Amino acid sequence: MKLLYTNTSSYARKVRIVAHEKHIAMALQQVVLTDPDCPVKQYNPLGKVPVLILSDTESLYDSRVIVEYLDNCTPLAHLIPQELSAKIKVRRWESLADGVCDAVVAVMLEQRKAEPAQDAAFMAKQMDKVSRGLTVLNDDLANHEWCVGEAFSLADIAVGCMLAYVNLRFVGVINMAVDYPNLERLHLALLKRPSFKETAPSPN
Ligand SMILES: N[C@@H](CCC(=O)N[C@@H](CS)C(=O)NCC(=O)O)C(=O)O
């Protein structure tokens, strides 16, 4: 089993953290998506990371499918609850956290264009998704220790990866501690876990 990933991808980090928390051994291959020889398209027609290669003929994508697969590879310490209502809650948190990342990626790609080609209205719309998403997640977390129920779950992992990604891309733009203090508290707690420490993204 081998994961194709990039160091800054929040979706790929979610997968790496799930594997770490579940003690699942997985080979890691860091890729550069812009390389002409990048192997990702061979395994995912969409050309996106993460991709989990199971064999020469079988691969899994996207991150939500991979984490569900990994969580069921071993029965112990499920990160996605088995019971339907808790499971749906966890997946909704994940969906919103991933959606915030999608909007951050869209802004970043727009910012990489030459300034005259940048679409300010498009960027404002994406930034609005980011702030509305963060507000809902912050309000829903309130003073709870974990996102869903009394246990650490995939919801916390997805939110933690998203927060690190927002901090990485929006240095000086969003002040998490001031504007989203509940999320900041959760993030600080998550950063103590080896799975988070060992997968911290670095800018590129
Ligand atoms: N929904 C996908 C999103 C994956 C994604 O957007 N990955 C980005 C890197 S952060 C990517 O590979 N982008 C390359 C591209 O879009 O061509 C998931 O959860 O895995």
Side-chain angles (χ1 to χ4, degrees), residues 1 14-26 66-82 152-154 157 193 195:
M1 202 154 67
K14 185 175 55 162
V15 169
R16 289 157 66 208
I17 291 174
V18 166
H20 192 294
E21 293 282 347
K22 300 275 297 181
H23 304 286
I24 294 170
M26 191 170 71
I66 302 173
V67 294
E68 177 136 11
Y69 174 76
L70 292 177
D71 198 42
N72 287 288
C73 278
T74 64
L76 293 177
H78 273 296
L79 295 165
I80 303 171
Q82 303 287 283
F152 171 73
S153 73
L154 174 65
I157 296 173
R193 300 178 84 89
S195 60

Side-chain angles (χ1 to χ4, degrees), residues 6 8-12 14-15 33 40 44 46-50 61-64 66 98 102 105 109 165:
T6 61
T8 50
S9 168
S10 177
Y11 318 98
K14 185 175 55 162
V15 169
L33 289 163
V40 169
N44 176 358
L46 301 176
K48 295 184 180 200
V49 288
Y61 44 85
D62 62 3
S63 65
R64 295 182 214 181
I66 302 173
D98 282 7
D102 294 344
V105 169
L109 293 176
Y165 192 67

Side-chain angles (χ1 to χ4, degrees), residues 1 31-32 68 72 89 111 121 152 180 188 199:
M1 202 154 67
V31 297
V32 178
E68 177 136 11
N72 287 288
K89 282 185 188 150
Q111 283 171 339
F152 171 73
Y180 309 102
L188 293 178
T199 57

Side-chain angles (χ1 to χ4, degrees), residues 84-120:
L84 183 63
S85 117
K87 175 182 174 143
I88 293 301
K89 282 185 188 150
V90 164
R91 303 244 69 173
R92 172 194 161 272
W93 279 82
E94 180 193 20
S95 189
L96 185 49
D98 282 7
V100 170
C101 286
D102 294 344
V104 175
V105 169
V107 172
M108 184 198 69
L109 293 176
E110 198 64 21
Q111 283 171 339
R112 284 185 181 173
K113 292 181 183 169
E115 209 157 327
Q118 290 179 10
D119 182 339

